[in-house]
């Protein structure tokens, strides 16, 4: 049974930083591309970042470019999202996902975590 468990969320002031982690109970973690999505209250789920199986290829959405970085540790079955210079509009539930290729489309991903809340206060 595959499980993705996020951690690291919380309450932070504008301009602060958080690092989210997603630990996967997947037999061959390196066989999956990974991604982070977020969903704010009353809004649709939004792509944040994705990373290839090896970690060589990563992308982030334009609104977090220069502030967020995605990385992975295949030896420890974990993907990270480093978030710097946080803004109020980054407030959302952040979820990680595993799929066959790195993509901004949520339909690509077959496994999802339940999410961790990030709240940025101004």
């Amino acid at each position: 049974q595959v499980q993705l468990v996020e951690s690291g969320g919380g309450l932070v002031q504008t301009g602060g930083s958080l690092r989210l982690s997603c630990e996967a109970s997947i037999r061959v973690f390196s066989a999956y591309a990974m991604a982070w999505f977020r969903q704010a209250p009353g809004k649709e789920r939004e792509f944040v970042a994705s990373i290839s199986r090896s970690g060589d290829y990563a992308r982030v959405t334009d609104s977090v470019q220069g502030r967020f970085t995605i990385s992975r540790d295949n030896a420890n079955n974990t993907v990270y999202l480093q978030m710097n210079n946080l803004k109020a509009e980054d407030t959302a539930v952040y979820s990680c996902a595993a799929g066959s290729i790195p993509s901004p489309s949520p339909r690509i991903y077959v496994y999802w975590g339940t999410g961790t809340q990030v709240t940025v206060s101004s």
Side-chain angles (χ1 to χ4, degrees):
Q1 183 179 355
V2 174
Q3 281 189 317
L4 303 179
V5 180
E6 302 93 340
S7 62
L11 175 64
V12 64
Q13 291 186 331
T14 300
S17 298
L18 286 173
R19 188 175 82 153
L20 305 184
S21 300
C22 170
E23 187 170 353
S25 63
I26 297 177
R27 178 171 293 181
V28 187
F29 179 67
S30 59
Y32 292 87
M34 300 295 296
W36 287 95
F37 289 81
R38 67 186 181 185
Q39 188 165 21
K43 294 187 177 181
E44 294 187 355
R45 183 165 50 191
E46 174 190 22
F47 168 77
V48 177
S50 62
I51 190 165
S52 62
R53 300 171 187 181
S54 64
D56 289 345
Y57 172 76
R59 66 177 287 187
V60 298
T61 194
D62 288 347
S63 62
V64 307
Q65 183 72 45
R67 302 188 297 120
F68 290 13
T69 304
I70 187 172
S71 61
R72 66 188 295 162
D73 179 351
N74 285 347
N76 290 297
N77 285 21
T78 303
V79 62
Y80 302 98
L81 185 67
Q82 178 67 44
M83 307 186 296
N84 299 327
N85 191 20
L86 283 160
K87 304 177 180 180
E89 53 263 42
D90 295 319
T91 295
V93 174
Y94 286 70
S95 301
C96 64
S100 57
I101 59 172
S103 170
S105 172
R107 291 173 291 183
I108 292 294
Y109 300 93
V110 294
Y111 301 115
W112 290 81
T114 57
T116 185
Q117 176 70 46
V118 171
T119 303
V120 184
S121 64
S122 56

